[in-house]
Amino acid sequence: MIVRHISFEDRMDTVVFDLSPTPHITVDGDACQGCTTKVCVSVCPAGLFVPMNDGGVLFNYEQCFECGACYLVCDGLGAITWHYPTGGFGVAFRRG
Ligand code: SF4
Ligand code: SF4
């Protein structure tokens, strides 16, 4: 069996994002203030959550893989509102 190594960059070249004008994920910054784990920062495979000095997080929904991990692990009650992008927008994974 031949195992073909594919780099992360090569894999990302097969991913396309059709950005919706409406965010499919929103983060309630007030709820994040009391969050001590900031687990969204480490769990997001796209690195879309950035911890801020004021105790909150900076979030950008562009280039989201729609895996749902942030929503599942969030420690803040209702901090994350999550749904799939509507209208055919969002990520598309193509075969490399
Ligand atoms: S759905 Fe996945 S890729 Fe998108 S922001 Fe949440 S953890 Fe990151
Ligand atoms: S885990 Fe939830 S509450 Fe904590 S910083 Fe991330 S989004 Fe905010």
Side-chain angles (χ1 to χ4, degrees), residues 26-41 43 49 51 55-57 59 70-71 73-80:
T26 55
V27 180
D28 177 356
D30 290 340
C32 297
Q33 290 290 333
C35 175
T36 57
T37 65
K38 300 287 189 289
V39 67
C40 56
V41 174
V43 80
F49 293 84
V57 292
F59 174 71
C70 56
Y71 182 69
V73 302
C74 178
D75 278 352
L77 287 176
I80 292 181

Side-chain angles (χ1 to χ4, degrees), residues 7-95:
S7 71
F8 176 78
E9 289 75 17
D10 287 344
R11 289 188 188 279
M12 285 306 296
D13 283 344
T14 68
V15 180
V16 291
F17 299 94
D18 190 1
L19 186 63
S20 169
T22 307
H24 64 291
I25 301 173
T26 55
V27 180
D28 177 356
D30 290 340
C32 297
Q33 290 290 333
C35 175
T36 57
T37 65
K38 300 287 189 289
V39 67
C40 56
V41 174
S42 56
V43 80
C44 177
L48 301 181
F49 293 84
V50 177
M52 304 296 286
N53 288 336
D54 67 358
V57 292
L58 186 65
F59 174 71
N60 181 356
Y61 72 100
E62 298 176 20
Q63 301 193 327
C64 169
F65 295 134
E66 300 168 28
C67 66
C70 56
Y71 182 69
L72 290 175
V73 302
C74 178
D75 278 352
L77 287 176
I80 292 181
T81 303
W82 200 107
H83 58 79
Y84 285 111
T86 55
F89 290 108
V91 69
F93 301 98
R94 301 176 300 183
R95 295 189 69 160

